[in-house]
Amino acid sequence: MTGHNLQDTVALLTRTPAALDALLRDLPETWTFRNEGENTWSPFDVVGHLIHGERTDWMVRTKIILQFGEDRAFDRFDRWAQVRESQGKSLGELLDEFARLRSGNLDELRALNLQPEDLERRGRHPVLGVVTLSQLLATWAAHDLTHLHQVSRIMAHQYREAVGPWTQFLGVMQCAGHSS
Amino acid sequence: MTGHNLQDTVALLTRTPAALDALLRDLPETWTFRNEGENTWSPFDVVGHLIHGERTDWMVRTKIILQFGEDRAFDRFDRWAQVRESQGKSLGELLDEFARLRSGNLDELRALNLQPEDLERRGRHPVLGVVTLSQLLATWAAHDLTHLHQVSRIMAHQYREAVGPWTQFLGVMQCAGHSS
C-alpha cells in the first residue's frame, strides 16, 4: 500500500467529473473536438474513454478481485470503445453520463467498506500479472490525472502556432504524451 | 494570428478558475501541498503563480503593447513571487483571489474591444524579442493549460509508488515536465 490512502483516492475521484465539466462544457469546438493528429484523441474522446472505464474497468475489476482473487484474470480494456459508444452524443451528454456513473461507482465502493486487509488482496491483470486491490484503486485516481494531463496537452496543441516564440517557455508544448 | 481566435481564448480563460476550484478546493493536502521534489511547485504554488500572472503579466503587457509598442520591453516575470505572496493564505483564499483577478482582467480585456488589426500590434519581450498582441493573448490561454498539465502531473507523482506495475500504462508518470 506504499503511498496509498483510500480516502485521498476517493476525494480525488469525486472531483474529476466536476473539474472536467467546469473546463469543457460549452467550450468552443476548437478546444473540445480537435485532436493531436491521426489516431489521437480529442477531449470529447477522452471523456468517452473515462465513461467506458466507469462501466467496464474499475469497479468491475474490484469485484473480480474480491470474488475470485488471482484465479480469474481481468478482461482486457478496450482503448477505442468510446469511438463506438460516444457516437451521436454531445459533449454535455457525455459529461453528465460520466458524473452519474462515477457517483454510482463511488457509492458502491463506499458500500464495500474496504478494510486495510482487503486492500492487500490480489488479482491478476492480463498483461501486468499479479496486482493488489490497493494498486487498482490508486490507479483509478492516477488514471483520471493522466487524462487531465492529456486533455490539457491536446488543448494546448491547438495553439502551438498561435503562441509564437512563447512555445519554448510552455512545457506542455514539448509534451508528446509518453505513451507507447 | 495563425490559429488564434480571441473568442476561443477568452472562453478558455473564463473557465480555468472554476476548473481548478472544482479539482482542488478542500482536497486532502496529499494532493495540494506536496510537490515533485526540491525546487519544484505544489498545486498550491501553481495557483499562487497564476495569481501573480494576473497581477503583473497578461493585462499589464497588453497595455504596454497598446501604449508603447516595441519601444518599451515588458518587465521580466518573477517565477518565484508566489512563495512570498501566498504566505499565510489558504488554498481556498488563493482560488478565490485567482477567480476574482481573472474575472476583472477579462472585463478589462473585453472593454478594450480589440479588433483584428490591434492583435497584430507588436511589443518587445525582454528575452524573446518582438512578439504580437495576438501571441501574448494566445499564450495567456496556453499558460493556463501548461499549469493544468503541471498540476495533474504533480498530483500523479504522489501516487507513483501506489499504482505499482500500472505506472507503465500511465503517461503522466513518465512526464518530467519539459522545462529547462
PDB file of all heavy atoms in Angstrom, chain B residues 10-34:
ATOM      1  N   VAL B  10     -10.710  33.748 -24.860  1.00  0.00           N
ATOM      2  CA  VAL B  10     -11.486  34.263 -23.726  1.00  0.00           C
ATOM      3  C   VAL B  10     -12.345  33.151 -23.109  1.00  0.00           C
ATOM      4  O   VAL B  10     -12.465  33.050 -21.880  1.00  0.00           O
ATOM      5  CB  VAL B  10     -12.348  35.467 -24.162  1.00  0.00           C
ATOM      6  CG1 VAL B  10     -13.327  35.870 -23.060  1.00  0.00           C
ATOM      7  CG2 VAL B  10     -11.442  36.648 -24.519  1.00  0.00           C
ATOM      8  N   ALA B  11     -12.905  32.287 -23.969  1.00  0.00           N
ATOM      9  CA  ALA B  11     -13.737  31.180 -23.458  1.00  0.00           C
ATOM     10  C   ALA B  11     -12.930  30.292 -22.519  1.00  0.00           C
ATOM     11  O   ALA B  11     -13.407  29.884 -21.449  1.00  0.00           O
ATOM     12  CB  ALA B  11     -14.297  30.364 -24.617  1.00  0.00           C
ATOM     13  N   LEU B  12     -11.704  29.993 -22.905  1.00  0.00           N
ATOM     14  CA  LEU B  12     -10.869  29.146 -22.052  1.00  0.00           C
ATOM     15  C   LEU B  12     -10.451  29.879 -20.773  1.00  0.00           C
ATOM     16  O   LEU B  12     -10.532  29.325 -19.663  1.00  0.00           O
ATOM     17  CB  LEU B  12      -9.628  28.674 -22.817  1.00  0.00           C
ATOM     18  CG  LEU B  12      -8.674  27.826 -21.985  1.00  0.00           C
ATOM     19  CD1 LEU B  12      -9.347  26.543 -21.510  1.00  0.00           C
ATOM     20  CD2 LEU B  12      -7.416  27.498 -22.757  1.00  0.00           C
ATOM     21  N   LEU B  13     -10.009  31.115 -20.935  1.00  0.00           N
ATOM     22  CA  LEU B  13      -9.556  31.892 -19.771  1.00  0.00           C
ATOM     23  C   LEU B  13     -10.670  32.038 -18.735  1.00  0.00           C
ATOM     24  O   LEU B  13     -10.409  32.100 -17.529  1.00  0.00           O
ATOM     25  CB  LEU B  13      -9.080  33.282 -20.215  1.00  0.00           C
ATOM     26  CG  LEU B  13      -7.773  33.322 -21.010  1.00  0.00           C
ATOM     27  CD1 LEU B  13      -7.543  34.722 -21.590  1.00  0.00           C
ATOM     28  CD2 LEU B  13      -6.581  32.913 -20.136  1.00  0.00           C
ATOM     29  N   THR B  14     -11.907  32.069 -19.204  1.00  0.00           N
ATOM     30  CA  THR B  14     -13.052  32.210 -18.311  1.00  0.00           C
ATOM     31  C   THR B  14     -13.228  30.970 -17.441  1.00  0.00           C
ATOM     32  O   THR B  14     -13.673  31.059 -16.292  1.00  0.00           O
ATOM     33  CB  THR B  14     -14.336  32.418 -19.150  1.00  0.00           C
ATOM     34  OG1 THR B  14     -14.139  33.561 -19.986  1.00  0.00           O
ATOM     35  CG2 THR B  14     -15.559  32.632 -18.278  1.00  0.00           C
ATOM     36  N   ARG B  15     -12.880  29.804 -17.992  1.00  0.00           N
ATOM     37  CA  ARG B  15     -13.175  28.551 -17.302  1.00  0.00           C
ATOM     38  C   ARG B  15     -12.092  28.073 -16.335  1.00  0.00           C
ATOM     39  O   ARG B  15     -12.373  27.279 -15.417  1.00  0.00           O
ATOM     40  CB  ARG B  15     -13.427  27.444 -18.336  1.00  0.00           C
ATOM     41  CG  ARG B  15     -14.838  27.513 -18.900  1.00  0.00           C
ATOM     42  CD  ARG B  15     -14.956  26.785 -20.193  1.00  0.00           C
ATOM     43  NE  ARG B  15     -16.307  26.809 -20.706  1.00  0.00           N
ATOM     44  CZ  ARG B  15     -16.858  27.820 -21.367  1.00  0.00           C
ATOM     45  NH1 ARG B  15     -16.166  28.921 -21.553  1.00  0.00           N
ATOM     46  NH2 ARG B  15     -18.095  27.739 -21.823  1.00  0.00           N
ATOM     47  N   THR B  16     -10.868  28.493 -16.532  1.00  0.00           N
ATOM     48  CA  THR B  16      -9.773  27.920 -15.732  1.00  0.00           C
ATOM     49  C   THR B  16      -9.966  28.051 -14.223  1.00  0.00           C
ATOM     50  O   THR B  16      -9.748  27.076 -13.495  1.00  0.00           O
ATOM     51  CB  THR B  16      -8.426  28.526 -16.161  1.00  0.00           C
ATOM     52  OG1 THR B  16      -8.301  28.394 -17.581  1.00  0.00           O
ATOM     53  CG2 THR B  16      -7.270  27.827 -15.479  1.00  0.00           C
ATOM     54  N   PRO B  17     -10.375  29.229 -13.715  1.00  0.00           N
ATOM     55  CA  PRO B  17     -10.528  29.307 -12.249  1.00  0.00           C
ATOM     56  C   PRO B  17     -11.548  28.308 -11.716  1.00  0.00           C
ATOM     57  O   PRO B  17     -11.303  27.662 -10.686  1.00  0.00           O
ATOM     58  CB  PRO B  17     -11.000  30.757 -12.030  1.00  0.00           C
ATOM     59  CG  PRO B  17     -10.459  31.513 -13.203  1.00  0.00           C
ATOM     60  CD  PRO B  17     -10.568  30.550 -14.367  1.00  0.00           C
ATOM     61  N   ALA B  18     -12.660  28.128 -12.409  1.00  0.00           N
ATOM     62  CA  ALA B  18     -13.679  27.173 -11.941  1.00  0.00           C
ATOM     63  C   ALA B  18     -13.177  25.743 -12.037  1.00  0.00           C
ATOM     64  O   ALA B  18     -13.497  24.903 -11.183  1.00  0.00           O
ATOM     65  CB  ALA B  18     -14.962  27.345 -12.744  1.00  0.00           C
ATOM     66  N   ALA B  19     -12.399  25.448 -13.076  1.00  0.00           N
ATOM     67  CA  ALA B  19     -11.875  24.086 -13.224  1.00  0.00           C
ATOM     68  C   ALA B  19     -10.898  23.767 -12.091  1.00  0.00           C
ATOM     69  O   ALA B  19     -10.958  22.684 -11.486  1.00  0.00           O
ATOM     70  CB  ALA B  19     -11.194  23.927 -14.584  1.00  0.00           C
ATOM     71  N   LEU B  20     -10.008  24.699 -11.779  1.00  0.00           N
ATOM     72  CA  LEU B  20      -9.056  24.463 -10.684  1.00  0.00           C
ATOM     73  C   LEU B  20      -9.784  24.399  -9.345  1.00  0.00           C
ATOM     74  O   LEU B  20      -9.416  23.625  -8.465  1.00  0.00           O
ATOM     75  CB  LEU B  20      -7.983  25.555 -10.667  1.00  0.00           C
ATOM     76  CG  LEU B  20      -6.924  25.421 -11.764  1.00  0.00           C
ATOM     77  CD1 LEU B  20      -6.010  26.646 -11.785  1.00  0.00           C
ATOM     78  CD2 LEU B  20      -6.082  24.156 -11.551  1.00  0.00           C
ATOM     79  N   ASP B  21     -10.807  25.205  -9.203  1.00  0.00           N
ATOM     80  CA  ASP B  21     -11.597  25.199  -7.974  1.00  0.00           C
ATOM     81  C   ASP B  21     -12.257  23.847  -7.781  1.00  0.00           C
ATOM     82  O   ASP B  21     -12.198  23.247  -6.694  1.00  0.00           O
ATOM     83  CB  ASP B  21     -12.640  26.321  -8.059  1.00  0.00           C
ATOM     84  CG  ASP B  21     -13.214  26.657  -6.712  1.00  0.00           C
ATOM     85  OD1 ASP B  21     -14.004  25.849  -6.185  1.00  0.00           O
ATOM     86  OD2 ASP B  21     -12.868  27.713  -6.158  1.00  0.00           O
ATOM     87  N   ALA B  22     -12.887  23.344  -8.847  1.00  0.00           N
ATOM     88  CA  ALA B  22     -13.580  22.049  -8.759  1.00  0.00           C
ATOM     89  C   ALA B  22     -12.603  20.920  -8.453  1.00  0.00           C
ATOM     90  O   ALA B  22     -12.927  19.974  -7.749  1.00  0.00           O
ATOM     91  CB  ALA B  22     -14.323  21.763 -10.062  1.00  0.00           C
ATOM     92  N   LEU B  23     -11.394  21.034  -8.990  1.00  0.00           N
ATOM     93  CA  LEU B  23     -10.395  19.987  -8.774  1.00  0.00           C
ATOM     94  C   LEU B  23      -9.774  20.062  -7.379  1.00  0.00           C
ATOM     95  O   LEU B  23      -9.579  19.032  -6.724  1.00  0.00           O
ATOM     96  CB  LEU B  23      -9.299  20.097  -9.835  1.00  0.00           C
ATOM     97  CG  LEU B  23      -8.193  19.050  -9.777  1.00  0.00           C
ATOM     98  CD1 LEU B  23      -8.743  17.659 -10.108  1.00  0.00           C
ATOM     99  CD2 LEU B  23      -7.060  19.411 -10.744  1.00  0.00           C
ATOM    100  N   LEU B  24      -9.429  21.251  -6.920  1.00  0.00           N
ATOM    101  CA  LEU B  24      -8.520  21.386  -5.774  1.00  0.00           C
ATOM    102  C   LEU B  24      -9.146  21.789  -4.444  1.00  0.00           C
ATOM    103  O   LEU B  24      -8.601  21.464  -3.390  1.00  0.00           O
ATOM    104  CB  LEU B  24      -7.432  22.424  -6.102  1.00  0.00           C
ATOM    105  CG  LEU B  24      -6.514  22.101  -7.284  1.00  0.00           C
ATOM    106  CD1 LEU B  24      -5.567  23.268  -7.542  1.00  0.00           C
ATOM    107  CD2 LEU B  24      -5.730  20.822  -7.021  1.00  0.00           C
ATOM    108  N   ARG B  25     -10.258  22.516  -4.464  1.00  0.00           N
ATOM    109  CA  ARG B  25     -10.769  23.059  -3.197  1.00  0.00           C
ATOM    110  C   ARG B  25     -11.126  21.941  -2.218  1.00  0.00           C
ATOM    111  O   ARG B  25     -11.812  20.990  -2.575  1.00  0.00           O
ATOM    112  CB  ARG B  25     -11.985  23.947  -3.445  1.00  0.00           C
ATOM    113  CG  ARG B  25     -12.410  24.720  -2.179  1.00  0.00           C
ATOM    114  CD  ARG B  25     -13.604  25.608  -2.448  1.00  0.00           C
ATOM    115  NE  ARG B  25     -13.294  26.733  -3.312  1.00  0.00           N
ATOM    116  CZ  ARG B  25     -12.946  27.951  -2.882  1.00  0.00           C
ATOM    117  NH1 ARG B  25     -12.880  28.199  -1.586  1.00  0.00           N
ATOM    118  NH2 ARG B  25     -12.670  28.917  -3.735  1.00  0.00           N
ATOM    119  N   ASP B  26     -10.614  22.067  -0.994  1.00  0.00           N
ATOM    120  CA  ASP B  26     -10.894  21.110   0.090  1.00  0.00           C
ATOM    121  C   ASP B  26     -10.376  19.698  -0.172  1.00  0.00           C
ATOM    122  O   ASP B  26     -10.759  18.753   0.528  1.00  0.00           O
ATOM    123  CB  ASP B  26     -12.404  21.052   0.390  1.00  0.00           C
ATOM    124  CG  ASP B  26     -12.932  22.391   0.875  1.00  0.00           C
ATOM    125  OD1 ASP B  26     -12.162  23.117   1.531  1.00  0.00           O
ATOM    126  OD2 ASP B  26     -14.093  22.713   0.590  1.00  0.00           O
ATOM    127  N   LEU B  27      -9.535  19.540  -1.162  1.00  0.00           N
ATOM    128  CA  LEU B  27      -8.912  18.242  -1.417  1.00  0.00           C
ATOM    129  C   LEU B  27      -7.856  17.987  -0.323  1.00  0.00           C
ATOM    130  O   LEU B  27      -7.232  18.928   0.157  1.00  0.00           O
ATOM    131  CB  LEU B  27      -8.253  18.302  -2.798  1.00  0.00           C
ATOM    132  CG  LEU B  27      -8.006  17.013  -3.567  1.00  0.00           C
ATOM    133  CD1 LEU B  27      -9.294  16.250  -3.805  1.00  0.00           C
ATOM    134  CD2 LEU B  27      -7.343  17.330  -4.908  1.00  0.00           C
ATOM    135  N   PRO B  28      -7.642  16.735   0.072  1.00  0.00           N
ATOM    136  CA  PRO B  28      -6.622  16.465   1.095  1.00  0.00           C
ATOM    137  C   PRO B  28      -5.250  17.021   0.684  1.00  0.00           C
ATOM    138  O   PRO B  28      -4.922  17.084  -0.498  1.00  0.00           O
ATOM    139  CB  PRO B  28      -6.579  14.935   1.157  1.00  0.00           C
ATOM    140  CG  PRO B  28      -7.928  14.496   0.695  1.00  0.00           C
ATOM    141  CD  PRO B  28      -8.350  15.502  -0.333  1.00  0.00           C
ATOM    142  N   GLU B  29      -4.464  17.392   1.682  1.00  0.00           N
ATOM    143  CA  GLU B  29      -3.181  18.058   1.417  1.00  0.00           C
ATOM    144  C   GLU B  29      -2.182  17.170   0.680  1.00  0.00           C
ATOM    145  O   GLU B  29      -1.218  17.671   0.104  1.00  0.00           O
ATOM    146  CB  GLU B  29      -2.586  18.590   2.726  1.00  0.00           C
ATOM    147  CG  GLU B  29      -3.493  19.636   3.352  1.00  0.00           C
ATOM    148  CD  GLU B  29      -2.815  20.455   4.451  1.00  0.00           C
ATOM    149  OE1 GLU B  29      -1.666  20.111   4.820  1.00  0.00           O
ATOM    150  OE2 GLU B  29      -3.435  21.431   4.924  1.00  0.00           O
ATOM    151  N   THR B  30      -2.383  15.865   0.725  1.00  0.00           N
ATOM    152  CA  THR B  30      -1.557  14.959  -0.093  1.00  0.00           C
ATOM    153  C   THR B  30      -1.512  15.455  -1.531  1.00  0.00           C
ATOM    154  O   THR B  30      -0.470  15.413  -2.197  1.00  0.00           O
ATOM    155  CB  THR B  30      -2.188  13.543  -0.122  1.00  0.00           C
ATOM    156  OG1 THR B  30      -2.252  13.052   1.201  1.00  0.00           O
ATOM    157  CG2 THR B  30      -1.384  12.599  -1.008  1.00  0.00           C
ATOM    158  N   TRP B  31      -2.656  15.898  -2.003  1.00  0.00           N
ATOM    159  CA  TRP B  31      -2.749  16.317  -3.404  1.00  0.00           C
ATOM    160  C   TRP B  31      -2.351  17.767  -3.621  1.00  0.00           C
ATOM    161  O   TRP B  31      -1.859  18.116  -4.700  1.00  0.00           O
ATOM    162  CB  TRP B  31      -4.183  16.145  -3.915  1.00  0.00           C
ATOM    163  CG  TRP B  31      -4.732  14.753  -3.898  1.00  0.00           C
ATOM    164  CD1 TRP B  31      -5.827  14.316  -3.221  1.00  0.00           C
ATOM    165  CD2 TRP B  31      -4.237  13.606  -4.623  1.00  0.00           C
ATOM    166  NE1 TRP B  31      -6.052  12.982  -3.472  1.00  0.00           N
ATOM    167  CE2 TRP B  31      -5.091  12.522  -4.321  1.00  0.00           C
ATOM    168  CE3 TRP B  31      -3.159  13.404  -5.496  1.00  0.00           C
ATOM    169  CZ2 TRP B  31      -4.904  11.241  -4.864  1.00  0.00           C
ATOM    170  CZ3 TRP B  31      -2.968  12.142  -6.026  1.00  0.00           C
ATOM    171  CH2 TRP B  31      -3.818  11.082  -5.707  1.00  0.00           C
ATOM    172  N   THR B  32      -2.596  18.624  -2.649  1.00  0.00           N
ATOM    173  CA  THR B  32      -2.490  20.065  -2.928  1.00  0.00           C
ATOM    174  C   THR B  32      -1.210  20.703  -2.415  1.00  0.00           C
ATOM    175  O   THR B  32      -0.807  21.741  -2.922  1.00  0.00           O
ATOM    176  CB  THR B  32      -3.688  20.815  -2.317  1.00  0.00           C
ATOM    177  OG1 THR B  32      -3.748  20.524  -0.908  1.00  0.00           O
ATOM    178  CG2 THR B  32      -4.991  20.391  -2.983  1.00  0.00           C
ATOM    179  N   PHE B  33      -0.561  20.103  -1.400  1.00  0.00           N
ATOM    180  CA  PHE B  33       0.607  20.755  -0.810  1.00  0.00           C
ATOM    181  C   PHE B  33       1.922  20.024  -1.063  1.00  0.00           C
ATOM    182  O   PHE B  33       2.971  20.491  -0.685  1.00  0.00           O
ATOM    183  CB  PHE B  33       0.416  20.973   0.701  1.00  0.00           C
ATOM    184  CG  PHE B  33      -0.421  22.179   0.995  1.00  0.00           C
ATOM    185  CD1 PHE B  33      -1.803  22.079   1.068  1.00  0.00           C
ATOM    186  CD2 PHE B  33       0.162  23.425   1.143  1.00  0.00           C
ATOM    187  CE1 PHE B  33      -2.589  23.194   1.297  1.00  0.00           C
ATOM    188  CE2 PHE B  33      -0.602  24.555   1.382  1.00  0.00           C
ATOM    189  CZ  PHE B  33      -1.988  24.441   1.461  1.00  0.00           C
ATOM    190  N   ARG B  34       1.849  18.878  -1.698  1.00  0.00           N
ATOM    191  CA  ARG B  34       3.104  18.172  -1.995  1.00  0.00           C
ATOM    192  C   ARG B  34       3.597  18.564  -3.381  1.00  0.00           C
ATOM    193  O   ARG B  34       2.809  18.893  -4.269  1.00  0.00           O
ATOM    194  CB  ARG B  34       2.892  16.665  -1.922  1.00  0.00           C
ATOM    195  CG  ARG B  34       2.582  16.220  -0.492  1.00  0.00           C
ATOM    196  CD  ARG B  34       2.732  14.726  -0.348  1.00  0.00           C
ATOM    197  NE  ARG B  34       2.199  14.284   0.931  1.00  0.00           N
ATOM    198  CZ  ARG B  34       1.906  13.030   1.217  1.00  0.00           C
ATOM    199  NH1 ARG B  34       2.118  12.077   0.315  1.00  0.00           N
ATOM    200  NH2 ARG B  34       1.428  12.693   2.401  1.00  0.00           N
TER     201      ARG B  34
END
